[in-house]
Amino acid sequence: MTRRASRQRPGCPCGLQEPYDNCCGRFHRGESAAPTAEALMRSRYSAFVKLERDYLLRTWHPRTRPGSLDLDPGMRWTGLEILDTTGGSAFHGSGTVTFRASFKGGSLHERSRFERVDGTWVYVDGEFLG
């Protein structure tokens, strides 16, 4: 199991040192696509922080995408920790990312599944963990 802590700091909300505009912001703006499942997971976390509803829907697998998505502007996300990854690289068609996303008052622990659709990584679904 790999463990890469990435608590929120002055870089991107996803926890990496790059400024938001050069990190997840470029994915949110549609300038490029996330190259790995982990990069997509990080960008989706940042999208929740930044209330980027359109990006979240765009990066959701067509067969599991909800018809609409309501985001709570009062939700305060405080950090992302990537706990494990399987597959999900440029050489894979699928992958998983296990993470813990912290918010004011608690945390969300999930193993998310990702697949490539027409060469682009998308979120399929997730399993909540204890």
Side-chain angles (χ1 to χ4, degrees):
M1 177 192 261
T2 60
R3 189 171 182 86
R4 290 179 297 261
S6 53
R7 295 287 174 200
Q8 218 170 16
R9 52 179 87 92
C12 187
C14 79
L16 297 179
Q17 293 289 338
E18 282 289 314
Y20 167 75
D21 283 343
N22 298 338
C23 192
C24 294
R26 64 193 165 111
F27 303 138
H28 295 171
R29 292 186 304 272
E31 295 170 3
S32 60
T36 65
E38 181 179 334
L40 181 61
M41 173 60 238
R42 288 180 178 280
S43 70
R44 286 178 57 84
Y45 170 82
S46 290
F48 277 102
V49 172
K50 298 282 191 178
L51 302 176
E52 292 282 348
R53 176 183 298 109
D54 291 343
Y55 179 78
L56 290 164
L57 290 171
R58 188 170 70 244
T59 58
W60 215 308
H61 197 291
R63 78 172 181 264
T64 58
R65 180 186 307 133
S68 64
L69 183 63
D70 293 323
L71 300 178
D72 179 359
M75 182 69 138
R76 295 293 172 243
W77 295 99
T78 58
L80 175 67
E81 185 178 8
I82 303 297
L83 302 172
D84 191 31
T85 61
T86 60
S89 77
F91 304 105
H92 299 103
S94 64
T96 66
V97 178
T98 304
F99 68 93
R100 182 172 291 110
S102 300
F103 55 88
K104 188 173 182 176
S107 68
L108 169 72
H109 187 194
E110 180 178 307
R111 180 179 303 111
S112 294
R113 290 187 321 123
F114 299 88
E115 291 178 4
R116 283 187 191 237
V117 172
D118 298 327
T120 302
W121 285 107
V122 292
Y123 169 78
V124 177
D125 58 21
E127 171 190 0
F128 293 111
L129 305 172

